[in-house]
Every structure is written in C-alpha cells, then in structure tokens.
Amino acid sequence: MKLTTRAFALAGMSVLATTTAQAGGVRPIVVELFTSQGCNSCPQADAYFAKLSQRSDVLALSLPVTYWDMLGWKDTLATDANTRRQKAYAMAMSHGGVYTPQVIIDGMQDIVGSRTANIEAAIDARARAINASIAADDGRVAEAGATVTRVSSGG
C-alpha cells in the first residue's frame, strides 16, 4: 500500500510536470492543505494558504477533511476522498495518524500548516531539487549527443 500510494501521488505530479513542460516552463510545487471548519488551528493556515495560492510557482490545493464531523456538526466543504487521501499520505510517510492543519509538499514532506516559514523553506528546497534534476537530465541528454532547447513561456 505504501508504494502504491506514493506511486499514485508521484504519477499525478508526473502528469502535471509533463503538461507544464509542454507549456515551456518548470512545473509548480504541489502544496496540499488538509483543513477543516471544525479545527480551531486552521483559520491561520487557511489565510496563509489563500496567499500561497496566488504564487505562480505553487499549485495550492485545499482539502477539507471529514474526521472533525464527529464533534457534532458537519463540515460543509469536507469530503471522504480528502480524508482518505490524507490517511494514504500518513501511511506512505509511516506516520501514526493525521492532523489539521497539515501541509504536504509535493507528496513528499508534511509540515504543520501554521508553520509558514517551514512551508516556504520546503517549497524553496523542493524547487531547487527539481531544478537540479532538470539540469542533470539536460547534461545526460547533451552527453548522449542530443540537443537540449529550453523555451521561454512568455513575456
């Protein structure tokens, strides 16, 4: 299950990377926020996430979860699919449980959603890792005798 879950997440990012590469740019970093209307720690993370979603280098996904519903009222935005997704990440990352607000960076790292400096650092680190991987791939292609051409996406 662990391998399948991570493969599923990475396959989704691979499709995104391919689509973005075809458009001439480097793909954005996928940042998922697991949140709930019933979570008293979530409004700060939700507000930060609204700002984060405006960045062109980030694909921000807000994913309200259902497990807070047991406290007596129903989160009107939550879905079971979001809850299952978060639990799959917990299994893939060998965590004992889930929490809100939880941020997942590119399917690979989790951070408490109110720790904005840590989230920013993780986004930057992931972007550097992707850029290094692209540069390494370009080098391998060039060594093989092929031509590497980067196309600017505009402006």
Side-chain angles (χ1 to χ4, degrees):
M1 176 71 173
K2 180 187 288 190
L3 199 53
T4 303
T5 303
R6 177 143 292 169
F8 172 75
L10 293 176
M13 286 185 277
S14 175
V15 169
L16 176 63
T18 301
T19 303
T20 304
Q22 290 168 347
V26 176
R27 75 164 177 84
I29 307 303
V30 179
V31 182
E32 298 167 89
L33 172 65
F34 293 93
T35 186
S36 175
Q37 294 169 342
C39 162
N40 65 1
S41 303
C42 290
Q44 177 187 357
D46 293 335
Y48 165 70
F49 215 68
K51 293 176 188 172
L52 190 63
S53 72
Q54 302 302 309
R55 290 176 47 172
S56 63
D57 63 333
V58 169
L59 176 60
L61 305 172
S62 181
L63 304 163
V65 294
T66 58
Y67 51 84
W68 282 92
D69 291 355
M70 70 182 135
L71 297 179
W73 59 276
K74 185 166 177 51
D75 185 323
T76 59
L77 302 173
T79 67
D80 288 330
N82 293 344
T83 303
R84 286 191 306 272
R85 183 178 184 88
Q86 185 184 29
K87 288 180 179 181
Y89 275 129
M91 286 180 61
M93 294 179 182
S94 300
H95 294 323
V98 294
Y99 61 92
T100 57
Q102 180 182 26
V103 169
I104 303 290
I105 305 292
D106 238 14
M108 304 188 70
Q109 177 182 4
D110 79 307
I111 302 171
V112 175
S114 58
R115 296 185 180 158
T116 58
N118 294 6
I119 295 167
E120 295 288 336
I123 291 169
D124 292 343
R126 185 68 183 133
R128 284 191 307 275
I130 290 170
N131 289 335
S133 177
I134 290 169
D137 287 347
D138 287 353
R140 284 190 289 273
V141 169
E143 286 175 14
T147 303
V148 176
T149 305
R150 289 279 176 227
V151 178
S152 175
S153 61

